[in-house]
Amino acid sequence: TEVVKAIENVYGTLSDEYRKLVKLRYWNNRKLTWDVIADELHVNRTTAMRWRDEIIIATIELLGWR
């Protein structure tokens, strides 16, 4: 679908750190908190959530939803 293609496209452009965030948060069987994800990435919680926001914005812009 269009959404899947947009996600794949954006994921393909991400840095290794951003890809790790995606894997930890969305492609992981464990339900990790943002604090745990931030610790895994060696950043603070605010930075991890800002990265998440950037990924979401890139995806919705690619879809033309914004």
Side-chain angles (χ1 to χ4, degrees):
T1 69
E2 180 184 11
V3 173
V4 172
K5 287 179 184 176
I7 292 168
E8 289 173 344
N9 189 320
V10 170
Y11 184 80
T13 68
L14 297 177
S15 68
D16 289 342
E17 291 175 318
Y18 280 42
R19 285 182 185 206
K20 186 172 181 181
L21 180 145
V22 170
K23 289 176 184 176
L24 289 169
R25 180 64 183 181
Y26 303 108
W27 298 342
N28 188 338
N29 291 330
R30 299 176 294 155
K31 181 66 174 166
L32 302 178
T33 66
W34 283 107
D35 290 321
V36 171
I37 292 168
D39 286 345
E40 290 279 333
L41 297 170
H42 307 289
V43 299
N44 64 42
R45 182 178 190 269
T46 304
T47 299
M49 295 186 78
R50 181 175 43 81
W51 291 359
R52 183 261 336 250
D53 292 347
E54 291 173 11
I55 295 165
I56 291 171
I57 289 167
T59 305
I60 63 175
E61 286 179 348
L62 187 60
L63 288 165
W65 293 356
R66 176 178 163 158

